[in-house]
Amino acid sequence: MKDPAHLITLFDLSSHEIESIFSITEDLKVKFEEGHRDELLPGRVLALLFEKPSLRTRVSFETAMLHLGGGSLFLGDDVGFGKRETVADFGRVLSAYVDVIVVRAKQHQTVVELARHSTCSVINGLTDEAHPCQALADLFTLRERFGSFTAGRLAWIGDGNNVARSLAIGCALVGMPFVAAMPPGYELDPQVIADIQSTLPQAQIAVTNDPREAVRESIAVYTDVWASMGQEEEKEQRQRDFADYQVNQTLMKQAPADAVFMHCLPARRGLEVTDQVIDGRQSIVVQQAANRLHVQKGILAWLLGTKGRSGR
Ligand code: CP
Ligand code: NVA
């Protein structure tokens, strides 16, 4: 990685770098559970810019920075991001003050532009194209659960959206087989699949329109909302198009008995997943959300750590 290092999509990381982040995460999580908070980033400051709502990403990053001995600034509308000056000028100035920026933007290009002009690290906190920090927390959770990434396959059921893309790249990087079952017209961007296959030729990635085929022999069944933030107007059409892609008990019965159910949350209960599944014995959605805190610490400590990837 070049300095400053940014995390815009998981293509910014190598398998080895993911392993380094997870090893820091593991160490910090064990210490945290023993009641110890390792203050690895004293005096460092994180700025958060959010153009869309957030519970998990915002609070886990802010809390992570506090636990690491640093501070965080949640920047509201008054800073006029995207309104008072160019994104380039905004990035040049904000990065002169803070050590790292987490940004959730309506347009993926906004994050790319902000990173291009910032002299500190920029982390993508979700765009329509990517949600890299979510996928890292999910992979970490899967390894905690199964002990390795090669224990079995992850089945994505539903929309070929930001989370699906990041998981597809993440699985390829860590060596976990990935299959996606999506309705016609909502498939993963073929360019993302082509990019995965050209960068990581050993990747095991499959696509289908049949959810039952996908969950058979998969150890994790993952779904997300049918209409993401910004797609509210398509909600009704999508409910019709995704009707056969609900993760319910009938579908879960097709998966191995020890398969887990995953969701990045927030969920639309009764649509993409039933109460019985999300509240059932196979669901690990709360562990996933809880691990966001620990993995954010791993990401921050790795980016801002002694090796100076942040450019500071
Ligand atoms: N999963 C996730 O990113 O949740 P938030 O939108 O609440 O941050
Ligand atoms: N795909 C969802 C993820 C939310 C965390 C969205 O973009 O709204």
Side-chain angles (χ1 to χ4, degrees):
M1 265 194 160
K2 293 183 197 136
D3 287 341
H6 304 299
L7 177 52
I8 311 296
T9 78
L10 286 185
F11 281 128
D12 291 328
L13 296 176
S14 65
S15 317
H16 179 70
E17 288 169 332
I18 292 180
E19 194 41 61
S20 302
I21 291 170
F22 285 173
S23 137
I24 299 170
T25 302
E26 234 157 43
D27 181 50
L28 292 174
K29 184 172 176 180
V30 169
K31 288 179 178 156
F32 180 76
E33 286 174 346
E34 288 166 352
H36 178 68
R37 293 177 188 183
D38 228 347
E39 299 201 347
L40 298 179
L41 301 175
R44 299 298 191 94
V45 178
L46 160 71
L48 298 106
L49 284 167
F50 279 60
E51 293 183 334
K52 295 178 176 183
S54 171
L55 168 64
R56 283 143 285 266
T57 308
R58 174 190 173 171
V59 180
S60 59
F61 263 116
E62 290 209 56
T63 307
M65 203 60 187
L66 285 172
H67 287 180
L68 291 169
S72 71
L73 303 169
F74 184 79
L75 304 177
D77 272 351
D78 50 318
V79 296
F81 181 52
K83 296 181 188 124
R84 293 180 70 226
E85 55 200 309
T86 64
V87 169
D89 283 345
F90 196 102
R92 289 182 187 111
V93 174
L94 181 60
S95 63
Y97 303 142
V98 304
D99 299 286
V100 54
I101 301 168
V102 173
V103 55
R104 171 169 288 195
K106 290 183 180 159
Q107 304 291 328
H108 186 77
Q109 270 315 111
T110 304
V111 177
V112 173
E113 179 78 355
L114 188 74
R116 183 176 301 138
H117 298 283
S118 292
T119 52
C120 72
S121 288
V122 171
I123 299 171
N124 181 355
L126 180 145
T127 63
D128 285 347
E129 291 187 23
H131 199 2
C133 303
Q134 177 70 51
L136 287 176
D138 296 335
L139 292 170
F140 184 82
T141 306
L142 280 165
R143 192 168 65 177
E144 265 186 346
R145 178 77 179 205
F146 294 105
S148 83
F149 294 119
T150 47
R153 185 169 76 160
L154 184 146
W156 175 270
I157 310 296
D159 192 17
N161 64 15
N162 42 11
V163 179
R165 289 181 195 209
S166 292
L167 278 170
I169 302 166
C171 283
L173 280 162
V174 301
M176 182 164 192
F178 176 90
V179 58
M182 299 156 298
Y186 296 97
E187 286 101 344
L188 270 177
D189 180 357
Q191 188 57 52
V192 172
I193 298 180
D195 290 345
I196 292 172
Q197 285 167 336
S198 66
T199 354
L200 301 155
Q202 75 287 2
Q204 296 178 62
I205 179 163
V207 288
T208 171
N209 296 124
D210 182 353
R212 283 164 307 175
E213 181 192 320
V215 305
R216 262 180 230 131
E217 296 171 31
S218 289
I219 55 158
V221 178
Y222 199 128
T223 193
D224 185 13
V225 290
W226 292 338
S228 284
M229 291 181 275
Q231 296 172 332
E232 289 78 8
E233 283 174 14
E234 298 170 31
K235 204 173 78 182
E236 275 148 32
Q237 181 62 48
R238 283 172 172 262
Q239 284 182 25
R240 289 191 287 276
D241 295 342
F242 284 92
D244 295 336
Y245 290 77
Q246 183 184 68
V247 180
N248 50 35
Q249 284 176 309
T250 311
L251 185 65
M252 286 304 289
K253 282 200 184 100
Q254 301 288 319
D258 63 345
V260 293
F261 169 73
M262 302 180 79
H263 193 306
C264 55
L265 303 180
R268 301 284 179 272
R269 288 162 174 260
L271 293 180
E272 76 271 7
V273 60
T274 58
D275 283 337
Q276 289 95 328
V277 169
I278 199 168
D279 296 328
R281 64 164 185 89
Q282 287 163 291
S283 176
I284 58 164
V285 300
V286 177
Q287 289 95 307
Q288 281 175 264
N291 272 335
R292 297 291 306 275
L293 170 67
H294 304 292
V295 176
Q296 316 300 35
K297 287 185 195 175
I299 295 168
L300 289 167
W302 182 79
L303 275 175
L304 305 182
T306 49
K307 291 189 184 154
R309 292 177 196 85
S310 67
R312 293 288 155 91

